[in-house]
Amino acid sequence: MTYDELWRPLAAVYDEGEARAIVRYVLDVRFGLTAADVYCGKVTQLSADRQHELGEIMRRLMQAEPVQYVLGEADFCGRTFCVEPGVLIPRPETEDLCAWAVESAAARRVAAPALLDIGTGSGCIAVTLALDIDGARVEAWDVADVPLRVASANAARLGAEVSVSRVDALRPPRDVARWDMVVSNPPYVCLSERAVMEPNVLAYEPAEALFVPDDDPLRFYRAIADYASAALKPCGELFFEINPLLAAEMQAMLTAAGLGPAEMRRDRFGRERLLKVKK
């Protein structure tokens, strides 16, 4: 198969630019072919076994399965994380959340800060904070088996000191003044938004990590904010990735929880998606 024979059918699933990018990514990550190799026609020089492997990858991609699940990995903050169905694929905007948390930790200069990632999924937030914040002691919570296993494996593989625990964000322990920082990217997509979402997200990514009921979209934020109001140390900070459609409701909820005022930042796409509040 040539490069054109690979991306053109995929353009029926994605737009042309994305189809090209996905195929180039696969050829680079799985087969070690650079852009120069691709344009020199080296795709056709793969062995029969590797051609078969490439064909299987393309078959899965044609079914709109995310390339990160097909390859079993995703890039995040300059590192490669293992991912699989059952954990949310790390997003670029979550990198912006981590960058803000790292920046804030550097400004505060707390020795050996105690940090918590609630709803860790692949562990991308917890591992990034553990590796990028000097002396950080990081714990990561999730409630499902797959995230707990994947986050633990990612932390071990990347050499991050992260303690992974099974804790339900909606039923947290009664901690007092335990954490210097709590960071969370909880489920925040309303069920009514499904109609405008991409089919590869709906068909493959875990619904429990994405969706909340339309009549209670802040359920996870409220539980985490109530927990953080007691569990944060004095001047501790709570970081959230949020649904931009709920920014005003978030501000009111945090005030009611005794946290605030909140500081908002836009993500790299210009959306009001990042929030920090200090105890």
Side-chain angles (χ1 to χ4, degrees):
M1 289 180 285
T2 67
Y3 172 59
D4 281 357
E5 290 172 337
L6 293 169
W7 74 259
R8 288 188 185 280
L10 197 59
V13 180
Y14 302 95
D15 64 42
E16 179 179 328
E18 192 168 6
R20 286 176 176 270
I22 288 171
V23 171
R24 285 198 302 268
Y25 182 70
V26 167
L27 294 173
D28 178 19
V29 170
R30 183 56 60 87
F31 300 94
L33 296 177
T34 66
D37 292 333
V38 171
Y39 291 116
C40 287
K42 291 191 177 180
V43 179
T44 61
Q45 298 174 22
L46 293 171
S47 68
D49 286 345
R50 303 236 74 186
Q51 287 277 1
H52 177 78
E53 181 183 0
L54 179 57
E56 176 60 18
I57 289 172
M58 295 307 301
R59 182 190 66 78
R60 293 172 65 181
L61 292 173
M62 287 296 297
Q63 295 174 346
E65 184 174 353
V67 64
Q68 294 90 344
Y69 287 157
V70 174
L71 298 180
E73 63 183 61
D75 296 329
F76 186 85
C77 287
R79 301 180 178 94
T80 300
F81 286 79
C82 294
V83 294
E84 62 182 73
V87 298
L88 197 67
I89 295 169
R91 265 46 176 201
E93 52 267 40
T94 308
E95 295 184 336
D96 300 334
L97 180 70
C98 288
W100 192 8
V102 171
E103 170 194 317
S104 186
R108 292 184 64 203
R109 298 183 180 179
V110 175
L115 313 180
L116 173 63
D117 170 26
I118 298 180
T120 196
S122 67
C124 61
I125 292 176
V127 169
T128 299
L129 299 184
L131 294 177
D132 290 353
I133 297 176
D134 289 341
R137 296 176 291 115
V138 181
E139 186 163 329
W141 291 355
D142 213 296
V143 73
D145 291 339
V146 174
L148 292 169
R149 173 174 53 78
V150 172
S152 296
N154 277 322
R157 188 175 58 82
L158 292 167
E161 293 290 335
V162 176
S163 174
V164 180
S165 302
R166 187 188 301 272
V167 180
D168 187 345
L170 298 177
R171 298 172 182 82
R174 299 182 178 224
D175 293 326
V176 176
R178 181 178 177 186
W179 309 105
D180 294 289
M181 182 184 293
V182 174
V183 183
S184 185
N185 176 23
Y188 61 66
V189 181
C190 293
L191 285 169
S192 58
E193 296 179 69
R194 291 176 64 100
V196 297
M197 294 180 67
E198 296 294 332
N200 59 325
V201 174
L202 294 174
Y204 291 97
E205 296 202 59
E208 63 274 15
L210 288 168
F211 294 109
V212 287
D214 287 0
D215 61 356
D216 190 15
L218 301 184
R219 62 183 310 198
F220 286 97
Y221 293 107
R222 190 180 307 109
I224 294 168
D226 288 343
Y227 169 75
S229 66
L232 281 171
K233 298 176 183 179
C235 296
E237 295 175 327
L238 171 61
F239 286 83
F240 276 135
E241 183 175 322
I242 70 168
N243 186 334
L245 300 175
L246 302 172
E249 291 88 338
M250 284 289 301
Q251 294 270 13
M253 181 274 293
L254 290 167
T255 299
L259 296 166
E263 179 182 353
M264 306 287 295
R265 279 192 184 181
R266 296 184 182 275
D267 65 16
R268 65 187 65 187
F269 306 111
R271 294 171 296 205
E272 201 168 47
R273 193 179 292 280
L274 312 175
L275 179 153
K276 177 177 81 169
V277 63
K278 183 177 290 188
K279 181 173 178 179

